[in-house]
Amino acid sequence: DAVTTRVFPNFQQDRMALNLAGKDDRLDPDDFRTLARTIELPLGRANQLMADCARRVVEGVGALAPPAVFATPEAGRALDRISAIVRERVELFL
């Protein structure tokens, strides 16, 4: 939930509201595997779900568009930056 704030002035240091595996930033597959063990989800299934979700995020990030009322060059640049952050972070999960 903090990714979108990274592109706005004075919000670059925002963190996620909830921790996962003791972290509130830069989550990686091992953090989700820790969660899977905690909730007794088989690791194979957790890995499958992470990869599926990551693929869907990559597919969906290209469809981001601001509402027409906010369709400005600045909004487009912000969406480009958000997309780049998402793509960079999701690569760990593919």
Side-chain angles (χ1 to χ4, degrees), residues 63-76 79:
L64 291 176
V69 69
F70 297 114
T72 65
E74 293 82 13
L79 285 175

Side-chain angles (χ1 to χ4, degrees), residues 51-62:
D52 184 50
C53 185
R55 278 191 298 278
R56 290 171 187 253
V57 167
V58 169
E59 291 169 3
V61 75

Side-chain angles (χ1 to χ4, degrees), residues 7 17 19 24 35 50 60 66-67 83 90:
V7 301
N19 289 343
D24 62 5
L35 172 64
M50 284 188 288
S83 178
V90 80

